[in-house]
Amino acid sequence: MTSTGLTRIEGRIVEVRNGERKITRSYTYGYMSLRVLVGFEYYSVLVNASKLNQYGFIPKVEQWIRVEGCLSRNQDEFYDASLSHVTLFEHIEPPKRKK
């Protein structure tokens, strides 16, 4: 957790749900909902679809990502927590496994 009230996680995407809608070829609005596995916990990450060009990649299952955003604990048991208002979203290499 960082001092500005934002939380940073690194994990593997296990599910992508598209909630986006295209208006024209050059403008997209909506969001993508990602299910991210961090250790043994699942996080829901909401990503603004109009900012995908700014992030530089389209999230896909099995990709490893680093995300920073506002953390909220969920009331249901499907996800342990969720991140919204994403300020950092980047693709990272998977961690190397120890032998």
Side-chain angles (χ1 to χ4, degrees), residues 1 3 5 7 15 17 23 26 38-39 43 48 51 58-59 62 67 69 78 80 83 85-88 91 94:
M1 189 179 267
S3 61
T7 300
E15 182 181 3
R17 292 185 186 174
I23 297 174
S26 61
V38 179
Y43 287 82
N48 187 340
K51 293 185 178 180
I58 296 175
E62 297 298 321
V67 182
F78 191 65
D80 294 316
L83 285 174
H85 305 289
V86 173
T87 58
L88 172 73
H91 179 268

Side-chain angles (χ1 to χ4, degrees), residues 42-98:
Y42 287 102
Y43 287 82
S44 170
V45 177
L46 295 176
V47 179
N48 187 340
S50 65
K51 293 185 178 180
L52 288 178
N53 285 340
Q54 179 183 2
Y55 298 137
F57 72 102
I58 296 175
K60 295 182 179 147
V61 174
E62 297 298 321
Q63 285 181 333
W64 281 77
I65 58 171
R66 179 179 299 124
V67 182
E68 186 174 277
C70 294
L71 179 71
S72 62
R73 294 284 172 192
N74 289 349
Q75 301 300 322
D76 59 6
E77 297 298 320
F78 191 65
Y79 298 112
D80 294 316
S82 63
L83 285 174
S84 59
H85 305 289
V86 173
T87 58
L88 172 73
F89 187 78
E90 59 187 7
H91 179 268
I92 60 173
E93 293 298 319
K96 297 188 189 246
R97 296 183 183 198
K98 295 180 182 177

